Amino acid sequence: MQKNYQLRTIAFYNLENLFDTINDSLVYDDDRTPTGKDNWTEERYWKKIENLSKVISDIGSDNNPSGPDILGVCEAENRKVLEDLINHPALQKKQYGIVHFDSPDERGIDVGLLYTKSSFIPISFVSRRLLLNNEEGFRDYTRDQLVVEGLLDNEKIYVIVNHWPSRSGGELRSRPYRLKAAELNKRIIDSLRYLDSNAKIVSMGDFNDDPISPSFKKILKVKGKEKQLDSTGLFGPMENLFKKGIGSLAYRDKWNLFDQIYLTANLLNNPKGYRFWKADVFNPPYLIDPKGIYKGYPLRTYAGGSYIGGYSDHFPVYVHLIRKVK
């Protein structure tokens, strides 16, 4: 990286069931308690915090040694676990702030945004509810979509953090829920553009869909190549990675790239401000299971019902933004 460029990193990480050890009677967290199925003790909790803090501090560090400036997260039980995370010695010096709302998800997991106070200042934030009904017509409680407006080094940017409905019951059967999530995401983007025609928007999350899934291609119409974009288009840099066989999680020996970041076209051609430089999946050797039936997969906290003390069942993803400095 040449000296006349400033670089910022925006990343996303599925924290894989970051629950505290306290039994919350309002959510299904019974397994993640000291007396629950997972035998989730204080020792295991703090080991998980230590592991995650190491990963976060390392994301994108080849080009940006200070780690992510903006980090979207999902599968956090509450604000307290995020506070424990940013106060770990590995992250404390970064001085992260938190944007978080409790969502109605029945598993009790939320999305959130961490940001370095020295580079990003939130102006406003809101939680957009995804209203779904299951096949029986009953409400299906899932995660909200978090929308944050802020200043990245005095340049206005909007960030949306997602965790779309899972593929439980099969991809095809669960697809309508993710199409609904994509429609909500599109409405959010359209409304931001209505209020600010030059809105620079970054949407990220665990979408439980790949870059070529109908939610991305038919609803959001995300393009994988810059030359396909018009001025109102959305650019998905993860599509090229996916086509190369790179994934962020594995299931039954198949790689998926559910963890994605996509951007409005004005973040590619932005001569006076931050613009997209590169995107990647963060998958260093220490995050990869070295042995057994999950060899080569992300090294997770539990595998096959046994505690192995890893990190997450997802790799983080990130984009680098750069701008010229005088």
Side-chain angles (χ1 to χ4, degrees):
M1 177 56 57
Q2 297 175 13
K3 296 292 185 190
N4 57 341
Y5 281 97
Q6 185 172 16
L7 184 150
R8 293 296 184 194
T9 303
I10 299 179
F12 177 81
Y13 195 15
N14 181 326
L15 304 176
E16 191 205 16
N17 293 320
L18 182 58
F19 284 86
D20 60 27
T21 60
I22 302 160
N23 190 359
D24 184 340
S25 60
L26 299 179
V27 297
Y28 297 134
D29 66 347
D30 296 17
D31 289 348
R32 284 292 168 104
T33 57
T35 58
K37 179 171 70 71
D38 292 337
N39 189 24
W40 189 238
T41 60
E42 285 281 315
E43 182 182 2
R44 290 181 175 183
Y45 171 70
W46 288 108
K47 173 68 173 170
K48 173 103 171 167
I49 291 287
E50 180 182 347
N51 284 352
L52 294 175
S53 64
K54 172 178 171 49
V55 179
I56 291 167
S57 65
D58 287 349
I59 295 172
S61 57
D62 286 356
N63 298 108
N64 185 1
S66 61
D69 302 281
I70 296 173
L71 175 71
V73 296
C74 74
E75 296 204 8
E77 184 181 14
N78 49 42
R79 186 185 180 92
K80 173 68 166 56
V81 299
L82 296 178
E83 289 172 350
D84 287 345
L85 185 60
I86 65 171
N87 287 318
H88 186 277
L91 295 178
Q92 208 166 23
K93 61 184 181 297
K94 288 280 288 177
Q95 290 288 295
Y96 276 112
I98 299 171
V99 180
H100 167 269
F101 292 90
D102 282 313
S103 79
D105 180 79
E106 58 199 22
R107 278 175 59 201
I109 51 175
D110 306 331
V111 299
L113 190 79
L114 310 181
Y115 60 91
T116 54
K117 296 173 183 176
S118 59
S119 61
F120 185 76
I121 301 170
I123 299 170
S124 66
F125 36 86
V126 65
S127 191
R128 294 290 185 209
R129 192 132 295 176
L130 176 59
L131 296 173
L132 299 174
N133 289 321
N134 62 23
E135 292 165 337
E136 287 78 40
F138 294 108
R139 173 86 183 272
D140 194 342
Y141 293 92
T142 188
R143 282 76 62 175
D144 296 342
Q145 296 183 13
L146 176 62
V147 187
V148 182
E149 173 192 9
L151 298 175
L152 181 63
D153 298 313
N154 292 318
E155 183 176 353
K156 187 180 283 188
I157 189 170
Y158 300 87
V159 181
I160 310 170
V161 187
N162 303 263
H163 186 192
W164 289 3
S166 77
R167 293 190 169 194
S168 177
E171 190 279 324
L172 203 59
R173 186 176 174 186
S174 59
R175 183 185 293 176
Y177 301 144
R178 288 184 299 284
L179 294 178
K180 289 276 190 188
E183 288 168 0
L184 174 59
N185 210 241
K186 187 176 187 303
R187 284 200 303 275
I188 291 169
I189 291 169
D190 289 347
S191 65
L192 292 175
R193 283 174 158 166
Y194 178 77
L195 296 169
D196 177 1
S197 59
N198 193 40
K200 300 180 184 75
I201 305 167
V202 178
S203 189
M204 59 180 163
D206 174 0
F207 296 96
N208 276 299
D209 264 344
D210 290 312
I212 59 170
S213 295
S215 55
F216 278 81
K217 289 301 171 187
K218 293 184 178 176
I219 306 292
L220 291 164
K221 296 182 170 59
V222 177
K223 307 295 186 186
K225 295 179 180 175
E226 293 184 36
K227 64 184 180 184
Q228 298 171 325
L229 286 169
D230 58 26
S231 61
T232 62
L234 297 172
F235 174 59
M238 302 303 182
E239 185 175 329
N240 190 41
L241 296 172
F242 180 67
K243 287 179 176 176
K244 290 178 180 175
I246 297 170
S248 59
L249 74 159
Y251 180 66
R252 293 181 178 170
D253 293 332
K254 180 179 180 289
W255 282 95
N256 292 101
L257 190 44
F258 290 170
D259 304 271
Q260 301 183 53
I261 302 173
Y262 58 94
L263 327 140
T264 46
N266 55 5
L267 278 164
L268 278 81
N269 183 20
N270 188 23
K272 293 185 177 178
Y274 279 111
R275 60 182 174 84
F276 170 79
W277 177 40
K278 64 189 289 189
D280 214 344
V281 175
F282 183 67
N283 54 1
Y286 74 83
L287 280 185
I288 299 171
D289 200 326
K291 61 184 186 302
I293 60 170
Y294 298 111
K295 183 178 180 180
Y297 288 24
L299 184 61
R300 52 197 298 176
T301 310
Y302 288 83
S306 299
Y307 175 75
I308 55 173
Y311 301 84
S312 170
D313 54 349
H314 291 244
F315 294 137
V317 294
Y318 65 94
V319 297
H320 288 317
L321 303 181
I322 56 171
R323 70 173 180 182
K324 287 184 177 178
V325 291
K326 296 174 183 176

